[in-house]
Amino acid sequence: MTERIKHVLGLSGGKDSSALALYMKETRPDLDIDYFFTDTGYELPETNDFIDKLEERLGYIHRLNARSLNDIDGRGELDFRSMLKKHQNFLPSQRDRWCTVQLKLKPFEQWADDFIKEGYRIVNYVGIRADEPSRTGLLTIDKPIATVMPFREDGIVKSDIENILQRNGLDLPDYYSWRSRSGCSFCFYQKKIEWIRLKEKHPDLFEQAKKFEKGEDNNVTGERFYWMGKGEPLETLEDPKRRAQIIENHEKKVERFKKKKRRNALLGDIEGVYEANDIDEIYDDIEGGGACITCYK
Ligand code: SF4
């Protein structure tokens, strides 16, 4: 009996998974790939726009979401407060990333389970590049899902990614002009400067994130937990002095980064360019800042 294989590729709205999907179409046109985007319900508008553009080039993209898993009161809405209650009212954090499980992984598992029940083995293509350290493709589960990394196999590195997008008529997603990653608007992996930019670009989304920090929901042990860490609620960014301090620190880091780049002659002169794309390097962090590739790749 022929083995039934389902090829799937998850799009996060980030540059690497997007480039991978286009690259697969160019280099493995015979593979029948199901593309999916796990919409957390709290994505940036720029991400949704970019997914629509990709769909014009790739064909149908399955939109998966966590609504059916978290629809506690039957309203058919993705209610983050309900999820907070299920998690003892603790905001997700780098130490307890329950959001990735609830908003990204479970909807994928649910979708994949239907194929597995039909007897498929799943091959999942992920956008880990040849110039990145080894990582597992998913924070997942004991299922017949094989992870394949075509960029790694083919020696594709960071500098190739923009070329792949460009030759397919795409620029980087618009949020890269001010933020380094796709994912939820309130993602706790963003740097303080990115929170400031979120407030400027999408004040409504900033206010929404602020609301999740407030109220009895987020006060279980008497300690307050905030997106930016203990003791630093988002409203501190409304203080002009604090804001100015963060911007100044960021600019110093960018300057240091540019000097280093020039010294190493890797990028040539990048004067005047805000490198959201390189924010992890600017902050001496690992690429992705430790976030799961499902959220940002
Ligand atoms: S993008 Fe951030 S907040 Fe959203 S699921 Fe991923 S880690 Fe959690």
Side-chain angles (χ1 to χ4, degrees):
M1 205 178 98
T2 328
E3 190 185 22
R4 301 177 86 193
I5 300 179
K6 179 65 71 183
H7 301 273
V8 302
L9 193 157
L11 298 155
S12 63
K15 61 182 176 6
D16 290 354
S17 62
S18 306
L20 178 64
L22 298 163
Y23 181 77
M24 294 299 282
K25 231 177 161 52
E26 288 173 353
T27 59
R28 283 103 162 147
D30 297 336
L31 272 189
D32 181 17
I33 299 179
D34 278 60
Y35 302 102
F36 66 94
F37 168 59
T38 312
D39 175 3
T40 63
Y42 297 92
E43 306 289 339
L44 296 167
E46 293 95 323
T47 303
N48 289 319
D49 289 349
F50 193 71
I51 293 290
D52 289 345
K53 284 185 194 162
L54 276 173
E55 192 164 42
E56 287 166 15
R57 285 144 181 94
L58 296 169
Y60 185 68
I61 297 173
H62 299 266
R63 265 76 166 179
L64 315 180
N65 62 57
R67 283 169 183 81
S68 58
L69 297 165
N70 293 284
D71 185 18
I72 289 173
D73 46 15
R75 285 178 299 160
E77 285 175 14
L78 182 57
D79 182 351
F80 193 72
R81 287 226 174 266
S82 303
M83 278 187 273
L84 270 173
K85 282 198 183 115
K86 270 168 82 180
H87 291 86
Q88 291 76 47
N89 296 314
F90 282 97
L91 287 174
S93 65
Q94 299 192 20
R95 276 173 46 197
D96 184 7
R97 231 176 338 167
W98 58 256
C99 49
T100 313
V101 176
Q102 294 296 332
L103 296 171
K104 289 280 184 182
L105 297 184
K106 283 199 174 171
F108 170 68
E109 284 176 34
Q110 199 180 43
W111 182 64
D113 270 346
D114 290 341
F115 296 125
I116 293 167
K117 273 187 220 135
E118 287 171 32
Y120 282 98
R121 186 169 72 82
I122 294 181
V123 177
N124 184 27
Y125 297 89
V126 298
I128 304 283
R129 304 182 315 263
D131 56 344
E132 288 181 274
S134 261
R135 298 173 75 152
T136 49
L138 288 167
L139 275 181
T140 191
I141 41 154
D142 189 19
K143 306 246 175 192
I145 300 177
T147 297
V148 177
M149 304 180 192
F151 281 163
R152 175 158 292 188
E153 287 167 8
D154 296 357
I156 300 293
V157 296
K158 192 172 177 182
S159 54
D160 297 315
I161 298 299
E162 262 182 80
N163 284 338
I164 295 171
L165 295 175
Q166 275 166 8
R167 66 182 180 240
N168 283 280
L170 286 171
D171 290 320
L172 289 174
D174 285 349
Y175 61 78
Y176 277 116
S177 65
W178 61 276
R179 171 171 151 149
S180 59
R181 278 184 270 278
S182 52
C184 303
S185 50
F186 50 64
C187 185
F188 44 84
Y189 280 106
Q190 64 197 305
K191 309 278 188 244
K192 286 175 183 146
I193 187 72
E194 295 177 294
W195 281 110
I196 288 176
R197 306 285 185 233
L198 177 70
K199 185 167 159 40
E200 287 164 6
K201 295 274 175 188
H202 299 293
D204 52 329
L205 299 179
F206 183 82
E207 288 304 314
Q208 182 186 54
K210 242 170 73 184
K211 276 196 195 135
F212 289 137
E213 286 187 327
K214 290 216 159 158
E216 78 236 297
D217 286 339
N218 186 21
N219 194 6
V220 180
T221 61
E223 287 181 295
R224 297 299 302 249
F225 291 87
Y226 303 106
W227 294 115
M228 294 193 296
K230 223 163 130 184
E232 200 165 15
L234 288 178
E235 64 194 15
T236 57
L237 301 179
E238 285 159 1
D239 171 5
K241 263 199 198 152
R242 180 68 185 126
R243 200 175 154 276
Q245 197 181 41
I246 291 168
I247 293 173
E248 194 189 322
N249 284 345
H250 175 71
E251 282 168 359
K252 278 186 193 155
K253 281 181 191 292
V254 171
E255 271 319 302
R256 228 175 291 140
F257 172 75
K258 284 180 182 176
K259 269 190 201 151
K260 190 173 113 193
K261 283 282 178 191
R262 280 194 213 105
R263 214 171 33 237
N264 296 341
L266 286 176
L267 282 185
D269 187 6
I270 55 170
E271 195 70 54
V273 177
Y274 173 69
E275 291 283 328
N277 208 356
D278 289 319
I279 201 140
D280 295 318
E281 263 192 88
I282 290 170
Y283 281 76
D284 291 325
D285 214 343
I286 52 164
E287 188 171 335
C292 172
I293 62 163
T294 313
C295 294
Y296 82 92
K297 254 290 167 195

